[in-house]
């Protein structure tokens, strides 16, 4: 699965890890030692995140049902809670710095290519 910004055509991540079960969303990136560039994790359903038990910063995209970016947070540090944004139905976590590098802005739309499992 590939994460693409449909608004500007930029590939955000070549590998998207789905986290669609309760336990996969709960674990997320906890206890991992790194988050390589080119990877993303898609949490659905999900309205907000936390970075407890993580060792590195991440960028976070908050999406609505149409995969439009409602909000984006850069460099969320370990041990923090993400913000709540009205209308969020899923969240994508990406390595820190990718929002700036790929020119992500609220209002843009993303697509997960070859998404086989989508929670409605």
């Amino acid at each position: 699965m590939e994460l693409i910004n449909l608004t500007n055509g930029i590939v955000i991540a070549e590998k998207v890890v789905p986290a669609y079960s309760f336990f996969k969303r709960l674990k997320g990136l906890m206890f991992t030692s790194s988050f390589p560039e080119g990877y993303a994790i898609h949490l659905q359903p999900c309205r907000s995140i936390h970075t407890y038990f993580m060792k590195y910063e991440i960028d976070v995209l908050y999406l609505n049902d149409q995969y439009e970016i409602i909000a984006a947070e850069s460099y969320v540090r370990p041990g923090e809670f993400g913000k709540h944004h009205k209308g969020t139905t899923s969240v994508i976590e990406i390595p820190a710095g990718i929002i700036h590098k790929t020119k992500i802005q609220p209002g843009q739309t993303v697509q997960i290519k070859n998404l086989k499992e989508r929670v409605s």
Side-chain angles (χ1 to χ4, degrees):
M1 293 189 293
E2 187 175 59
L3 179 63
I4 301 169
N5 184 329
L6 292 179
T7 306
N8 62 20
I10 294 175
V11 174
I12 299 167
E14 293 83 27
K15 172 96 172 121
V16 180
V17 177
Y20 302 152
S21 71
F22 173 78
F23 289 108
K24 285 183 181 179
R25 289 190 312 273
L26 177 66
K27 183 179 182 294
L29 295 168
M30 288 191 314
F31 307 111
T32 58
S33 59
S34 66
F35 196 15
E37 192 167 318
Y39 277 76
I41 184 168
H42 182 223
L43 300 105
Q44 186 182 31
C46 182
R47 295 185 45 179
S48 186
I49 57 97
H50 69 83
T51 56
Y52 288 105
F53 306 106
M54 290 177 55
K55 300 175 183 176
Y56 48 87
E57 298 175 326
I58 61 172
D59 287 355
V60 183
L61 307 177
Y62 298 87
L63 309 177
N64 65 16
D65 282 338
Q66 290 75 44
Y67 283 56
E68 181 181 358
I69 300 169
I70 294 172
E73 291 183 51
S74 298
Y75 296 97
V76 179
R77 295 186 312 246
E80 292 185 347
F81 278 105
K83 296 181 177 134
H84 288 272
H85 300 278
K86 184 178 180 180
T88 299
T89 58
S90 69
V91 172
I92 294 179
E93 297 176 340
I94 50 181
I98 299 299
I99 287 174
H100 177 72
K101 182 178 180 180
T102 60
K103 302 176 172 96
I104 294 171
Q105 299 282 327
Q108 295 176 335
T109 301
V110 297
Q111 177 187 36
I112 301 173
K113 288 185 86 173
N114 301 318
L115 180 64
K116 294 179 176 37
E117 180 182 359
R118 181 171 173 169
V119 178
S120 44

